[in-house]
Amino acid sequence: METQVRVAERSAVSTSIAITLDGYLDGVADASMIFRSAVDAYLREGSERACWQLARRIADIVRTLDDMQQTLEMRHVAQSARGAVGSAMFEPLTDLSRLVKDMKRQITGFAIECGFTRCGRRVPAPLVADVQELTDEVCAAIDALVEASRPGPQGWQQPAADADGRGVGWHEARADRLSTALVRRILADEALEVKARLLLAQFVEEIDRLADQAEGVAGALQTRSMGGSGGGAAVAQAH
């Protein structure tokens, strides 16, 4: 029979881990907001400074998340003998880390391109609102993933839709439709040079790519949930 001290120690570890996991997901949500702001900055004239500021902010978030993940994994190694938490609790973090690092790569690209071009808006004015709408849907997919993937009493759960049925998949599908329509408009615009059309199409596809990644993470979480992956016991004791 476990002693009360051992049970209390395990419960304290579980609570600490649950709090840190929530903090990690908060960081991913912050990165989503920065990405949305970075796209808006990229669409404005004279935006080089703003893009670099946002690039530095998301770089700080990436470093913080890497440190948090390392701390969690080290704590798991130290506490695994006590049965405090299963390694499956940390598997989604690697997928989320890739998502945030891709946001960082894109934002840094915005800043570099602004520095090279130093000329007005790179996206034609008639397309700006559509690019912003696409970005909103992409970020909504990421935000839905963050909120639906917070560990519950049984560990990492299958991401669920919100009250309106708008889960990760719903937002990803809408982002895909918006990006497809945008790319078709861009490629058909003969007022633009061929090189400009290709670059703009790539820009749109890169933004949409984040929603695809979010859906991929959601699918991985669903697979783990259906497979009954371990690690829920630790969080269960934290609530």
Side-chain angles (χ1 to χ4, degrees):
M1 181 179 296
E2 290 186 310
T3 66
Q4 290 184 341
V5 172
R6 185 177 179 83
V7 171
E9 288 178 347
R10 191 168 62 188
S11 179
V13 170
S14 300
T15 300
S16 175
I17 288 173
I19 291 172
T20 304
L21 286 171
D22 270 340
Y24 190 101
L25 288 166
D26 288 342
V28 177
D30 289 343
S32 174
M33 289 190 294
I34 292 173
F35 183 78
R36 183 185 281 109
S37 297
V39 173
D40 287 340
Y42 179 83
L43 296 173
R44 295 196 305 267
E45 293 187 19
S47 57
E48 180 185 3
R49 181 177 179 182
C51 284
W52 277 117
Q53 288 175 338
L54 292 166
R56 285 191 288 271
R57 284 179 59 190
I58 200 166
D60 289 340
I61 287 179
V62 168
R63 283 191 291 270
T64 298
L65 294 182
D66 283 345
D67 289 344
M68 291 174 74
Q69 183 170 354
Q70 184 177 18
T71 297
L72 283 166
E73 291 173 350
M74 290 176 63
R75 189 174 299 164
H76 162 62
V77 171
Q79 301 294 340
S80 59
R82 302 181 185 182
V85 63
S87 60
M89 287 298 295
F90 307 116
E91 291 172 3
L93 301 187
T94 299
D95 296 332
L96 290 167
S97 176
R98 291 194 190 99
L99 179 63
V100 175
K101 287 174 180 176
D102 203 10
M103 282 189 265
K104 174 191 171 186
R105 177 186 62 78
Q106 290 197 39
I107 294 173
T108 303
F110 298 162
I112 292 172
E113 183 179 340
C114 288
F116 277 128
T117 58
R118 297 186 181 277
C119 62
R121 187 175 287 125
R122 285 147 295 281
V123 178
L127 298 180
V128 168
D130 293 328
V131 172
Q132 290 173 325
E133 184 180 8
L134 169 63
T135 304
D136 287 343
E137 286 300 332
V138 168
C139 291
I142 296 169
D143 294 342
L145 173 65
V146 167
E147 293 309 313
S149 300
R150 293 188 186 277
Q154 300 303 317
W156 293 92
Q157 301 297 302
Q158 173 183 347
D162 60 20
D164 296 325
R166 298 182 177 183
V168 181
W170 189 92
H171 290 292
E172 188 280 332
R174 190 154 192 275
D176 190 56
R177 290 194 295 272
L178 289 168
S179 66
T180 299
L182 259 172
V183 169
R184 284 176 179 169
R185 285 179 59 191
I186 290 168
L187 296 179
D189 189 350
E190 296 183 356
L192 295 171
E193 294 181 359
V194 173
K195 181 178 179 180
R197 279 184 260 172
L198 294 176
L199 289 173
L200 282 172
Q202 182 182 21
F203 169 68
V204 168
E205 290 172 345
E206 281 284 287
I207 294 175
D208 182 52
R209 168 184 152 101
L210 294 175
D212 295 336
Q213 288 182 266
E215 185 180 46
V217 177
L221 289 173
Q222 180 179 359
T223 299
R224 294 185 183 104
S225 177
M226 294 176 63
S229 76
V235 177
Q237 293 188 35
H239 294 272

